[in-house]
Amino acid sequence: MKFPIIIAFLLWGSIAVAQYQLNGKITAKNDGTELEQVSVYFPQLEKGTTTDENGEFSFNDVPAGSYKFIASYIGFKTYSATIDFPGHPDMLQIALSPSAIEMEEVIVSTPFHKLQRENVMKVEQAGMAELRNRGSMNLSDGITNIPGVESVSTGIGIGKPVIRGLSANRVLVYTQGIRLENQQFGDEHGLGIDDAGIESIEVIKGPASLLYGSDALGGVLYLNPEKFADTGDSDTDASTTYHGNTQGYSANVGTKASGDSWKYLVRAALNSHNDYETGDGLYVTNSRYRTYDLKTGIGFQQKGFISSLRYNYNLAELGIPSGIGADQGDRSPLLPNQEIGQHILSSVSEAFFKNSSLKMTLGYIFNDRKEFEDHEHEEEELLPGMEEEEEGAALHMKLSTFNYNLQYQLPRTSSLETIIGVQGMSQTNRNFGEEILIPDATTNDIGVLATSHWHLRNNDLQFGLRYDHRSLKSERSGEPGQEEFIEAVNRQFNSFNAALGWRTDLSESMIGRVNLASGFRAPNLAELTSNGTHEGTNRYEIGDADLANEKNIQVDLALEYKNEHFEWYANGFYNQVSDYIFLRPTGELRDGDAVFNYEQQDASLYGGEVGLHIHPHPLDWLHLESSFEAVIGELDNGTPLPLIPANSFTNTLRVEFDKGPMRSRESYAFITLNSVLQQDRVSSFETETPAYSLLSLGAGSTFNLGQNVLQLRLSATNILDKTYIAHLSRLKPDGWANMGRNISLGATLTL
């Protein structure tokens, strides 16, 4: 079935479709100044350019249809409009309104390509460059700067996202337009994506099963890959950062170019870190890690058809922290450690008709996970001519996943847009090591959906319905009567889900949103079949083959006020989860490890985020930002859920200048105080976490070097060298503190 669909798309790409041209001019609304280097973009068509010295731009070969058009420029409010071809004016005249707030971007994780202020669902977005400027060491560290998002960490090299208290298989990660599958059920299984080649991050905080199916019960972390260059342009850049705490470095180099029809990009990255130092001057042994990353892509566009093919290879060598020491040692991971190789291949193609479109996304992920343990063997005398055999991987799993997503956007009207689609996944897991954490298994998903966006004068409604079916079949592991015998499982899971959202303009500057959505999550293979020691967590876990779907209903309320110099927001949520799956200790020990059973019980989570941003006139270069986030999670008997983030305040003073010192083009500086409150609502196998505060600061400037651009950045996190342990650190039971002071120096050269 796959090949006829692919052939049909290639045929559509050769159909002769009427082509149109768009010319335009952009000026400043306050004084009529012609604006140069304004970014203008058709998100659906992936066509972009910039204005010339006269503020003018031009697009050729635009197919018939209606498309979202975006114009964005620093210091001005982002312009958004839908343009019809044919039917647009001969010359599009755009006057941008001055604004000191940051530029808005198009939200990609929701289906209708709206700006954030136009979107019915509240979606947080952050640029990867901004997160690097704040001193983030990697992607898992960077996402913690987004309100409502935290990370369960195992040292500095392993982290996984937590959205409003939910993590692991309850949070779905999308990269290159496809769902990431990399054995994410494990607490010590990291995100597995390098931040190089990631342009921005979007976070849906709440059930998104309507759009993404199972595992989106708690939310979605959507990683937008680096865009191709604008038509006729080419870019090459190199970047490096040094981190003093770990004597670590990261470096990447990339190049991209686009012609009228073909475009390409390639980026390679390397990261290497030694053991990190805590605030009290000790080193966490074997917290070191290395990663190698390659991302490349090729795109084609012609006659109402666009297509892109992207590939990502990532190799991670991750030490598993094993103690406290007085020195860092060398960079090579000690035992125990993980070696994870991952291949991601994705294809996104879209055919545009007169007033509709058909989009097909295909993806293949191969995840090769090896875990090496520190076995203690009695020394055996080697006979003459014999060589000592190298210890193989104790745990070795290969996970292959094929994803598909076919969506048809029905012919639009002036107020109604509708998308229908089918999504699915076929997955196999195979074991090749001595130990069996989860058995060999095959999983197949299929889901059908329909969603609509209805635009009224000052209101927008979005609603949809979806049905999913999952089949999971695992093989028997071991022999009956053995302690770690795992019986074969053959289960079917089904679910209907719906979403309803309303967005309204309460005034010219204030937006209100109400969203009600349901979600579900089929139990994963570990929860159904585990029967053995999980070395990464020092637990003996016992699954339950009769577990049912997790189901939830969440209501979100959001208010947002924004004018040229002041903005604030308030987001609240209540999430009711039926048949929540969790681990409960039995009080028994097996081989020295505590025994935990997987069980189910209803649970609820509630809380939210509030924040404000002040950039007073006439001091538009000055920004004062403050936010507070809170979440409470508990079973229906009142017992707190595990791994719930502590409530926290974040306050930032930031300055930005278009022209900085030493004739720099742009400059910034910031100081941030993150105050984390005491977490005393803990589960039965957690301990309370004291309050702590961390001070960070940074600065940077961008310089013109002839035709080239150089950016320099300096940041310092935990500048007071505070000794603390985060509540979501998996090293907390051992009493090993988080990282102390880290000073980072980075540079990016764009040719």
Side-chain angles (χ1 to χ4, degrees):
M1 286 296 294
K2 292 178 288 185
F3 296 103
I5 294 175
I6 296 172
I7 292 171
F9 260 75
L10 294 176
L11 289 175
W12 282 330
S14 64
I15 293 174
V17 179
Q19 305 286 295
Y20 298 91
Q21 184 178 36
L22 175 66
N23 298 309
K25 184 171 184 175
I26 300 180
T27 58
K29 188 175 183 179
N30 57 334
D31 58 11
T33 302
E34 297 164 342
L35 298 178
E36 184 181 1
Q37 293 298 310
V38 177
S39 174
V40 289
Y41 190 61
F42 285 101
Q44 289 170 275
L45 299 174
E46 297 183 11
K47 292 176 74 74
T49 187
T50 56
T51 57
D52 60 19
E53 65 274 10
N54 299 316
E56 296 179 351
F57 65 90
S58 178
F59 285 98
N60 298 313
D61 300 329
V62 180
S66 298
Y67 306 104
K68 177 70 70 175
F69 174 80
I70 304 296
S72 59
Y73 191 58
I74 294 176
F76 291 83
K77 184 178 180 181
T78 300
Y79 173 86
S80 170
T82 298
I83 301 180
D84 298 321
F85 296 89
H88 66 86
D90 294 335
M91 172 67 79
L92 186 63
Q93 299 283 352
I94 300 173
L96 297 183
S97 300
S99 177
I101 63 175
E102 285 76 8
M103 295 185 302
E104 288 187 277
E105 299 289 344
V106 174
I107 299 299
V108 179
S109 55
T110 53
F112 297 105
H113 295 286
K114 306 293 184 183
L115 291 178
Q116 178 56 274
R117 67 172 181 265
E118 303 168 333
N119 219 38
V120 172
M121 184 184 298
K122 175 67 173 177
V123 179
E124 300 284 355
Q125 187 184 65
M128 197 63 235
E130 176 190 356
L131 300 182
R132 293 190 195 101
N133 290 344
R134 296 184 183 184
S136 300
M137 298 189 69
N138 49 45
L139 186 58
S140 298
D141 182 31
I143 62 176
T144 62
N145 292 289
I146 302 173
V149 183
E150 296 293 340
S151 179
V152 176
S153 64
T154 306
I156 56 173
I158 302 174
K160 60 193 316 107
V162 179
I163 298 179
R164 288 176 168 176
L166 296 177
S167 61
N169 280 85
R170 298 181 181 94
V171 171
L172 191 60
V173 178
Y174 254 61
T175 181
Q176 298 180 194
I178 61 174
R179 61 183 290 162
L180 178 64
E181 293 289 323
N182 63 349
Q183 307 283 15
Q184 63 267 30
F185 64 86
D187 287 348
E188 82 294 357
H189 295 181
L191 196 54
I193 297 290
D194 194 275
D195 62 4
I198 301 296
E199 188 157 298
S200 63
I201 302 169
E202 297 176 14
V203 181
I204 300 176
K205 295 183 289 190
S209 290
L210 171 68
L211 302 176
Y212 299 106
S214 179
D215 296 2
L217 175 143
V220 175
L221 187 70
Y222 198 99
L223 308 177
N224 290 314
E226 179 180 4
K227 291 190 180 82
F228 290 102
D230 291 340
T231 301
D233 287 347
S234 63
D235 290 297
T236 299
D237 66 84
S239 180
T240 184
T241 304
Y242 176 77
H243 299 275
N245 185 287
T246 62
Q247 298 180 13
Y249 58 86
S250 60
N252 75 82
V253 60
T255 184
K256 56 185 177 180
S258 294
D260 292 334
S261 298
W262 292 94
K263 46 194 173 184
Y264 78 90
L265 60 81
V266 61
R267 183 169 299 278
L270 166 68
N271 295 275
S272 178
H273 291 270
N274 212 327
D275 297 339
Y276 76 83
E277 183 180 6
T278 65
D280 51 10
L282 298 175
Y283 295 92
V284 177
T285 304
N286 209 28
S287 58
R288 62 198 70 172
Y289 71 95
R290 288 193 297 246
T291 63
Y292 308 87
D293 191 78
L294 173 68
K295 292 184 175 75
T296 186
I298 186 170
F300 174 78
Q301 180 172 358
Q302 194 173 42
K303 297 181 180 179
F305 178 79
I306 61 174
S307 183
S308 64
L309 182 69
R310 291 180 184 258
Y311 170 72
N312 176 209
Y313 173 68
N314 184 271
L315 175 64
E317 299 172 352
L318 308 169
I320 304 297
S322 55
I324 292 291
D327 58 70
Q328 287 182 307
D330 61 29
R331 293 178 178 272
S332 299
L334 308 172
L335 294 174
N337 64 65
Q338 300 178 357
E339 182 182 301
I340 305 167
Q342 183 164 266
H343 302 263
I344 303 175
L345 181 67
S346 65
S347 169
V348 181
S349 301
E350 189 164 7
F352 298 94
F353 311 111
K354 185 174 181 180
N355 199 25
S356 62
S357 62
L358 182 60
K359 183 176 183 179
M360 181 176 68
T361 304
L362 303 174
Y364 176 75
I365 301 175
F366 179 73
N367 182 263
D368 188 3
R369 176 178 293 274
K370 299 177 182 179
E371 297 186 6
F372 300 87
E373 297 177 7
D374 188 9
H375 294 289
E376 295 182 1
H377 299 290
E378 294 183 3
E379 293 187 4
E380 299 180 2
E381 184 178 352
L382 298 177
L383 297 177
M386 293 181 60
E387 295 183 0
E388 185 176 359
E389 294 185 4
E390 183 179 349
E391 191 79 49
L395 182 71
H396 186 187
M397 299 185 292
K398 295 182 179 181
L399 186 72
S400 300
T401 307
F402 172 72
N403 292 295
Y404 59 91
N405 184 357
L406 187 66
Q407 294 187 349
Y408 176 60
Q409 183 156 13
L410 277 62
R412 308 171 184 86
T413 68
S414 59
S415 60
L416 183 65
E417 299 174 83
T418 299
I419 290 176
I420 58 175
V422 57
Q423 297 175 347
M425 176 184 76
S426 180
Q427 182 178 87
T428 59
N429 181 70
R430 295 291 180 264
N431 285 276
F432 298 89
E434 303 173 353
E435 299 179 1
I436 304 297
L437 184 60
I438 56 175
D440 293 353
T442 300
T443 303
N444 288 291
D445 277 356
I446 186 169
V448 293
L449 69 100
T451 182
S452 296
H453 184 105
W454 186 18
H455 176 68
L456 302 174
R457 184 176 181 182
N458 293 312
N459 297 273
D460 291 89
L461 289 172
Q462 193 166 308
F463 45 90
L465 185 66
R466 179 184 178 117
Y467 171 75
D468 282 276
H469 172 76
R470 167 173 287 190
S471 64
L472 187 153
K473 186 176 182 180
S474 70
E475 300 178 10
R476 188 177 76 174
S477 177
E479 297 297 330
Q482 292 180 344
E483 185 178 66
E484 296 185 356
F485 170 69
I486 301 174
E487 184 61 85
V489 171
N490 190 350
R491 295 288 307 276
Q492 310 289 319
F493 302 95
N494 304 285
S495 182
F496 279 99
N497 288 282
L500 175 64
W502 173 47
R503 174 203 172 280
T504 182
D505 292 324
L506 298 173
S507 69
E508 185 178 349
S509 302
M510 181 175 288
I511 297 171
R513 294 183 176 92
V514 180
N515 282 273
L516 179 66
S518 67
F520 88 105
R521 182 180 74 90
N524 63 47
L525 196 57
E527 295 163 339
L528 293 168
T529 64
S530 289
N531 186 25
T533 299
H534 193 157
E535 301 292 347
T537 58
N538 298 318
R539 293 194 299 251
Y540 191 103
E541 300 179 0
I542 301 177
D544 183 350
D546 297 321
L547 293 173
N549 276 341
E550 286 185 339
K551 302 172 291 293
N552 75 327
I553 297 179
Q554 178 168 312
V555 59
D556 285 88
L557 302 174
L559 286 175
E560 181 178 323
Y561 177 88
K562 182 180 298 185
N563 63 25
E564 186 179 351
H565 296 285
F566 177 78
E567 58 183 305
W568 62 264
Y569 64 86
N571 307 320
F573 75 96
Y574 182 83
N575 188 4
Q576 178 65 46
V577 186
S578 301
D579 295 320
Y580 182 90
I581 300 172
F582 63 99
L583 280 166
R584 187 193 299 274
T586 65
E588 303 174 14
L589 292 176
R590 292 192 186 179
D591 298 326
D593 293 316
V595 177
F596 285 73
N597 287 339
Y598 280 102
E599 300 182 6
Q600 286 188 296
Q601 191 177 130
D602 293 348
S604 59
L605 299 97
Y606 52 92
E609 307 88 34
V610 296
L612 60 85
H613 181 182
I614 303 171
H615 28 85
H617 183 72
L619 306 178
D620 294 342
W621 47 268
L622 177 64
H623 298 259
L624 303 171
E625 301 173 354
S626 182
S627 65
F628 172 74
E629 55 188 89
V631 59
I632 295 174
E634 57 190 13
L635 298 171
D636 63 353
N637 62 6
T639 302
L641 295 177
L643 296 176
I644 298 298
N647 301 342
S648 65
F649 288 94
T650 301
N651 295 282
T652 298
L653 172 65
R654 178 163 51 93
V655 296
E656 295 178 342
F657 300 97
D658 292 337
K659 294 183 179 180
M662 298 183 294
R663 298 184 179 180
S664 63
R665 191 174 71 179
E666 299 166 358
S667 295
Y668 70 89
F670 70 88
I671 182 169
T672 297
L673 178 64
N674 180 225
S675 300
V676 180
L677 306 185
Q678 178 182 2
Q679 178 56 292
D680 54 7
R681 293 182 55 85
V682 295
S683 71
S684 57
F685 55 93
E686 292 182 311
T687 58
E688 296 184 5
T689 302
Y692 58 88
S693 294
L694 303 177
L695 187 66
S696 303
L697 54 83
S701 288
T702 301
F703 303 86
N704 288 328
L705 300 178
Q707 299 297 315
N708 305 323
V709 176
L710 174 66
Q711 183 199 45
L712 299 177
R713 54 190 180 274
L714 173 69
S715 63
T717 57
N718 191 6
I719 191 67
L720 300 180
D721 213 17
K722 176 76 174 180
T723 302
Y724 73 101
I725 302 178
H727 187 68
L728 297 188
S729 170
R730 291 191 55 257
L731 306 183
K732 181 186 172 190
D734 298 302
W736 303 339
N738 287 70
M739 181 182 291
R741 181 189 300 115
N742 180 45
I743 299 177
S744 302
L745 178 63
T748 299
L749 178 64
T750 302
L751 304 179

